[in-house]
């Protein structure tokens, strides 16, 4: 759990600071180390594989909500339907965290929704302030959008972690 918590904090920082400089490789390097540490110390690491898929799918489905509407523009990135690589790394690291440092949100959908809304707004605001993105239509549309989307995404990821954890537990 400690590896995941510290790893995700480093992942967020490397992704945002790298994103502000149009670089994705720092976030992928940190994600790789984070996952390797989890796989090394967790004998049931296979449960992470479905969570990586949950992260991929949610990134693919949810990022276009703010990108295609012009609510958010990532620095050095002009694709309206596809997020830059550092965002993909964040989604993957975040999704896997539901088996570790965010496990406390599993089975608590209302807490997950509140955590997602507040955390999403805080995260996008910090990303904008640190230069990784901009909000061309002003801060309020992206804050509302992020809050609503993340209030749904976090309980979904927690539910996915419950499903994959239970399935893995029954096969052990």
């Amino acid at each position: 759990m400690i590896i995941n918590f510290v790893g995700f904090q480093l992942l967020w920082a490397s992704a945002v600071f790298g994103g502000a400089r149009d670089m994705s490789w720092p976030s992928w390097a940190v994600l790789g180390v984070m996952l390797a540490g989890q796989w090394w110390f967790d004998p049931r690491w296979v449960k992470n594989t479905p969570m990586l898929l949950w992260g991929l799918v949610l990134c693919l489905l949810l990022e276009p909500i703010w990108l295609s509407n012009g609510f958010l523009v990532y620095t050095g990135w002009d694709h309206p339907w596809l997020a830059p690589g550092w965002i993909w790394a964040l989604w993957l690291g975040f999704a896997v965290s539901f088996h570790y440092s965010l496990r406390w949100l599993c089975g608590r959908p209302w807490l997950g929704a509140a955590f997602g809304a507040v955390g999403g707004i805080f995260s996008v605001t910090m990303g904008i302030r640190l230069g990784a993105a901009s909000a061309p239509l002003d801060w309020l549309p992206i804050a509302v959008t992020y809050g609503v989307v993340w209030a749904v995404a976090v309980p979904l990821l927690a539910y996915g972690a419950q499903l994959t954890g239970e399935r893995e537990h029954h096969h052990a």
Side-chain angles (χ1 to χ4, degrees):
M1 185 152 83
I2 292 170
I3 289 171
N4 176 264
F5 178 78
V6 172
F8 189 74
Q9 303 314 305
L10 293 173
L11 175 60
W12 190 90
S14 68
V16 171
F17 287 114
R21 288 154 188 78
D22 197 20
M23 294 188 308
S24 290
W25 70 265
S27 57
W28 287 102
V30 172
L31 178 64
V33 170
M34 182 177 127
L35 292 175
Q38 290 167 341
W39 291 332
W40 180 265
F41 290 107
D42 185 358
R44 297 178 310 186
W45 61 267
V46 74
K47 68 186 174 206
N48 293 331
T49 305
M51 291 310 295
L52 291 171
L53 293 174
W54 276 82
L56 286 172
V57 168
L58 287 178
C59 183
L60 189 63
L61 294 175
L62 299 179
E63 285 293 321
I65 292 172
W66 37 84
L67 291 174
S68 65
N69 290 310
F71 293 158
L72 189 69
V73 175
Y74 293 115
T75 300
W77 193 255
D78 61 357
H79 300 282
W81 293 96
L82 190 63
W86 61 272
I87 290 292
W88 287 89
L90 273 176
W91 274 98
L92 296 175
F94 189 68
V96 168
S97 295
F98 283 84
H99 279 303
Y100 302 99
S101 61
L102 295 177
R103 183 175 32 214
W104 58 275
L105 291 170
C106 293
R108 299 179 172 134
W110 294 110
L111 184 59
F115 179 81
V118 172
I121 293 168
F122 178 77
S123 183
V124 75
T125 301
M126 291 306 298
I128 290 168
R129 291 186 186 254
L130 293 171
S134 62
L137 302 178
D138 203 17
W139 178 81
L140 188 58
I142 190 60
V144 170
T145 304
Y146 247 67
V148 170
V149 169
W150 281 100
V152 173
V154 168
L156 277 175
L157 286 166
Y159 179 70
Q162 281 183 278
L163 288 178
T164 60
E166 289 171 8
R167 183 171 54 237
E168 189 277 329
H169 180 65
H170 290 309
H171 286 92

